[in-house]
Amino acid sequence: QVQLVESGGALVQPGDSLTLTCAASKDTISPYVIAWFRQAPGREREGVSSVCLGGTAYYEASVKGRFFASRDNPRATVTLQMNSLKPDDTAVYFCAAGLTCGVLNAEDYSYWGQGTQVTVSS
């Protein structure tokens, strides 16, 4: 079983950048696809990005070109670099581990972190 811990959430202003980190409890996360999801109050959880075993990343349309995900398998971490943040990016961000590359459906991910709050407000 993989335990995931997110960190890096904060209150930032529109246009700012922020980096989230997902750290895994196992020595390596290499068998898993790692994805980022977010959930805003009153909205369904939505997929933001997934990073496959070789590092290929997929993005939801509204964050493409602004968010960049990468993984460090030996360190068992995945980061989400978020640029040009908007108020609509405000949400709790979760990382999750699964086995299917290139999907952003929550049901394809078996292990979840507790989430970290990102608030974008002036």
Side-chain angles (χ1 to χ4, degrees):
Q1 186 171 356
V2 180
Q3 292 184 326
L4 304 171
V5 179
E6 305 91 340
S7 62
L11 169 63
V12 297
Q13 294 187 340
D16 283 354
S17 296
L18 193 65
T19 300
L20 304 182
T21 299
C22 175
S25 60
K26 295 173 70 72
D27 290 339
T28 179
I29 56 172
S30 59
Y32 298 99
V33 175
I34 303 296
W36 288 96
F37 289 79
R38 66 185 179 186
Q39 187 165 20
R43 300 179 64 176
E44 293 187 359
R45 189 170 297 190
E46 66 171 351
V48 174
S49 174
S50 70
V51 187
C52 298
L53 306 187
T56 301
Y58 297 84
Y59 301 96
E60 188 270 332
S62 70
V63 307
K64 200 168 186 179
R66 298 190 298 123
F67 289 13
F68 300 93
S70 61
R71 62 190 292 156
D72 186 333
N73 290 334
R75 294 176 184 266
T77 58
V78 175
T79 59
L80 182 67
Q81 173 69 40
M82 306 186 294
N83 302 319
S84 302
L85 283 161
K86 306 174 182 180
D88 281 350
D89 295 319
T90 295
V92 177
Y93 284 71
F94 301 87
C95 64
L99 296 176
T100 306
C101 179
V103 296
L104 286 174
N105 301 312
E107 57 264 29
D108 289 307
Y109 293 86
S110 300
Y111 305 105
W112 292 80
Q114 294 300 307
T116 186
Q117 176 71 47
V118 173
T119 303
V120 185
S121 175
S122 55

